[in-house]
């Protein structure tokens, strides 16, 4: 990892000397306070601070990108406090010879089969509607530590993707991912053939998951769209997920949507949970939405979920507007009974100087027909203040009340600073 960092910094320094550069990004500083009860009458107040920096240095198609976060508590001392998290640090080169792109370093991974970040490289080709990419690297350690895995052969992620957009209205994609986590070994007491206790080192194989996936989409703008996806688990040699979604928009002000999926639970291949019979689920949901004066949308959805031997239903109603939304949801059947209503609103005033926000949720639920009902109330109110385009402040109060957290109050403060400068050393 240290060699990789040195290469990145030297590369970025070379470009900074030879070419005029652009430096842009955002710095945020946040404070989040909350109270935690250690017993019925004893509690501790925490004040967590978060300092986040997003930084991009480069020009045209060559960039050095970073995303760092430092967190700590200013009231209570904690282990590894403050803690530095390195989410991104990579060299990003695009449109090389008009087609080639690559990334090197700690980089994000966007994939329908897996997500997160990894330490490694991505190499790809993007030309006239055809895109091919492959990637390989080590898994990022816990808490995004600035370290590289010490066993790349057993602690890695790799894969690739082929996407075709060259055919009008169609999209095709094929994906593959293989992700393994190195399991830490440990000592445990076991009995030998003579029933004497002995210390044994337990070292499990690190086979996390391996999937292939295919996607097909077809769309006619302002008429309809259909998306489909199929995931296959190569370890268990079975279908992992089958998904269809569609939307029809040709009727004036009316939209019709349909969603269906079949899925197996994703269980780690060498996990003890793999011995249990979880069963599969099938879900189908249909919905209608109606636009009023191109500003307000009324929507309704109904879903049926089938488990191994039971079924459950879900009903959703809502009103959406440019200023927020009101949503009601009811769930019943095997998954438990739930009644919930939520309201959210935001309104920008004085040319964006002040944007107050408000949120409220009330939920009543029980896990089975004979179980007692529980209630949950949450409330959020705050505002964003942006006196200049490059500077903004956020303040938000939060309230939660249920059978576990009684009258729980929290406060969130945040400062955002955006910067963008052109640099030239010659």
């Amino acid at each position: 990892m240290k060699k990789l960092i040195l290469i990145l910094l030297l590369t970025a320094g070379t470009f900074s000397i030879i070419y005029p550069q652009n430096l842009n990004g955002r710095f945020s500083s946040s404070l989040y306070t909350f109270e935690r009860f250690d017993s019925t009458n004893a509690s501790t107040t925490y004040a967590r601070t978060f300092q986040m920096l997003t930084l991009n240095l480069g020009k045209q198609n060559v960039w050095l990108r970073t995303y760092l976060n430092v967190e700590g508590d200013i009231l209570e001392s904690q282990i590894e406090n403050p803690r530095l998290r390195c989410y991104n640090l990579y060299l990003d080169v695009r449109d090389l010879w008009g087609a080639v792109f690559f990334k090197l370093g700690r980089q994000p991974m966007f994939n329908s089969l897996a997500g997160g970040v990894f330490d490694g490289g991505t190499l790809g080709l993007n030309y006239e509607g055809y895109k091919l990419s492959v990637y390989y690297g080590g898994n990022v350690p816990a808490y995004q530590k600035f370290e590289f895995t010490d066993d790349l052969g057993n602690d890695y992620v790799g894969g690739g993707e082929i996407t075709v957009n060259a055919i009008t209205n169609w999209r095709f994609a094929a994906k593959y991912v293989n992700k393994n986590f190195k399991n830490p070994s440990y000592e445990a007491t076991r009995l030998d053939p003579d029933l004497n206790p002995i210390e044994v080192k337990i070292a499990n194989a690190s086979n996390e998951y391996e999937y292939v996936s295919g996607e097909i989409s077809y769309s006619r703008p302002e008429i309809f769209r259909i998306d489909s996806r199929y995931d296959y688990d190569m370890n268990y040699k079975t279908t992992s997920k089958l998904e269809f979604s569609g939307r029809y928009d040709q009727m004036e002000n009316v939209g019709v949507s349909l969603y269906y999926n079949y899925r197996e639970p994703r269980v780690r291949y060498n996990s003890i949970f793999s011995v249990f019979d979880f069963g599969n689920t099938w879900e189908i949901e249909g919905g209608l939405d109606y636009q009023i004066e191109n500003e307000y949308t009324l929507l309704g959805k109904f879903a049926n979920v089938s488990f191994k031997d039971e079924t459950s239903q879900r009903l959703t109603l809502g009103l959406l507007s440019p200023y927020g939304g009101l949503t009601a949801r009811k769930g019943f059947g095997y998954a438990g009974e739930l009644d919930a209503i939520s309201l959210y609103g935001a309104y920008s005033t004085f040319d964006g100087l002040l944007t107050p926000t408000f949120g409220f949720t009330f939920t009543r639920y029980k896990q089975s027909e004979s179980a007692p009902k529980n209630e949950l109330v949450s409330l959020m109110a705050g505002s964003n203040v942006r006196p200049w385009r490059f500077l903004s402040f956020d303040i938000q109060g939060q309230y939660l009340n249920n059978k576990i957290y009684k009258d729980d109050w929290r406060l969130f403060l945040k400062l955002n600073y955006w910067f963008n400068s052109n640099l030239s050393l010659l």
Side-chain angles (χ1 to χ4, degrees):
M1 187 67 178
K2 293 181 179 179
K3 293 181 180 179
L4 178 60
I5 295 171
L6 180 60
I7 293 173
L8 291 173
L9 294 179
L10 289 176
T11 304
T14 301
F15 278 100
S16 297
I17 294 174
I18 299 176
Y19 300 106
Q21 298 295 299
N22 177 264
L23 178 67
N24 65 78
R26 184 181 69 166
F27 171 76
S28 296
S29 180
S30 305
L31 173 67
Y32 188 52
T33 66
F34 58 94
E35 183 181 17
R36 177 173 294 168
F37 279 84
D38 304 313
S39 63
T40 304
N41 300 316
S43 66
T44 303
T45 299
Y46 295 86
R48 301 288 294 169
T49 61
F50 303 89
Q51 320 301 323
M52 185 273 289
L53 175 64
T54 300
L55 188 67
N56 301 298
L57 173 64
K59 182 184 179 183
Q60 295 177 348
N61 63 329
V62 181
W63 293 88
L64 179 66
R65 305 188 187 277
T66 66
Y67 177 25
L68 308 172
N69 185 74
V70 179
E71 62 183 56
D73 198 292
I74 59 177
L75 295 182
E76 293 292 326
S77 177
Q78 298 185 26
I79 299 176
E80 296 189 30
N81 190 11
R83 187 195 305 274
L84 171 65
R85 295 176 183 263
C86 178
Y87 293 100
N88 292 160
L89 176 59
Y90 65 97
L91 183 66
D92 185 5
V93 179
R94 303 182 182 183
D95 297 324
L96 195 61
W97 302 300
V100 178
F101 63 91
F102 70 87
K103 299 177 183 178
L104 180 64
R106 178 164 294 182
Q107 58 190 277
M109 177 175 60
F110 301 102
N111 193 301
S112 58
L113 297 171
V117 295
F118 70 98
D119 295 323
T122 298
L123 178 63
L125 179 69
N126 190 359
Y127 184 72
E128 294 188 352
Y130 296 89
K131 183 177 180 181
L132 168 66
S133 64
V134 293
Y135 54 89
Y136 181 80
N139 289 311
V140 174
Y143 305 110
Q144 293 77 37
K145 288 184 178 179
F146 205 41
E147 300 173 359
F148 191 75
T149 178
D150 58 357
D151 189 359
L152 184 59
N154 293 304
D155 191 23
Y156 67 88
V157 58
E161 178 178 345
I162 301 174
T163 305
V164 178
N165 292 304
I167 305 175
T168 303
N169 299 328
W170 288 90
R171 177 184 177 273
F172 302 90
K175 303 178 182 180
Y176 168 79
V177 64
N178 188 349
K179 188 170 185 178
N180 283 259
F181 276 109
K182 180 182 178 182
N183 290 318
S185 60
Y186 60 93
E187 301 287 337
T189 302
R190 296 291 186 266
L191 298 179
D192 66 9
D194 298 324
L195 301 182
N196 296 314
I198 59 173
E199 292 296 315
V200 178
K201 184 177 182 179
I202 308 298
N204 294 322
S206 58
N207 199 342
E208 177 75 1
Y209 58 75
E210 186 176 9
Y211 290 94
V212 292
S213 177
E215 299 177 4
I216 301 177
S217 299
Y218 181 77
S219 65
R220 296 284 300 275
E222 299 182 1
I223 300 177
F224 70 90
R225 178 182 178 89
I226 300 175
D227 298 291
S228 63
R229 169 182 162 189
Y230 176 78
D231 298 344
Y232 182 79
D233 190 325
M234 300 186 69
N235 287 328
Y236 291 101
K237 301 189 184 319
T238 185
T239 296
S240 173
K241 186 174 185 178
L242 177 63
E243 184 178 54
F244 294 96
S245 63
R247 180 173 176 84
Y248 182 73
D249 285 312
Q250 195 168 17
M251 293 183 291
E252 185 178 0
N253 297 327
V254 177
V256 182
S257 61
L258 183 67
Y259 175 78
Y260 168 84
N261 77 51
Y262 160 86
R263 58 187 170 187
E264 289 255 359
R266 288 194 173 182
V267 181
R268 188 169 177 171
Y269 185 61
N270 280 331
S271 168
I272 184 62
F273 296 106
S274 62
V275 303
F276 295 99
D277 182 15
F278 290 92
N280 310 317
T281 62
W282 296 262
E283 178 178 344
I284 184 168
E285 182 178 54
L288 290 171
D289 56 78
Y290 179 75
Q291 281 197 346
I292 305 173
E293 297 180 354
N294 293 324
E295 287 192 350
Y296 304 93
T297 302
L298 289 170
L299 63 88
K301 295 182 179 181
F302 181 80
N304 183 79
V305 183
S306 298
F307 300 90
K308 185 176 182 180
D309 299 312
E310 302 286 348
T311 61
S312 181
Q313 292 75 40
R314 181 177 68 245
L315 176 65
T316 304
L317 301 173
L319 173 63
L320 306 179
S321 77
Y323 315 107
L326 174 65
T327 304
R329 173 172 289 189
K330 182 175 182 62
F332 40 92
Y334 177 71
E337 298 183 14
L338 179 145
D339 297 286
I341 184 170
S342 61
L343 173 66
Y344 175 78
Y347 183 72
S348 182
T349 60
F350 304 110
D351 294 327
L353 172 64
L354 187 67
T355 305
T357 57
F358 172 81
F360 170 79
T361 300
F362 174 77
T363 305
R364 180 184 290 121
Y365 63 95
K366 60 179 182 179
Q367 295 180 337
S368 64
E369 186 176 351
S370 59
K373 288 186 176 181
N374 298 296
E375 293 184 350
L376 181 148
V377 176
S378 63
L379 180 67
M380 177 274 292
S383 182
N384 172 269
V385 182
R386 193 166 187 173
W388 299 281
R389 293 185 61 185
F390 58 86
L391 185 66
S392 72
F393 304 89
D394 290 275
I395 180 171
Q396 186 178 101
Q398 303 168 358
Y399 171 79
L400 176 68
N401 185 53
N402 62 12
K403 69 175 184 179
I404 300 175
Y405 294 95
K406 299 293 185 181
D407 298 325
D408 182 56
W409 292 91
R410 304 188 178 201
L411 178 65
F412 177 77
L413 303 172
K414 187 176 183 180
L415 176 148
N416 290 293
Y417 175 71
W418 289 265
F419 53 90
N420 190 339
S421 300
N422 291 318
L423 307 175
S424 178
L425 300 181
L426 295 180

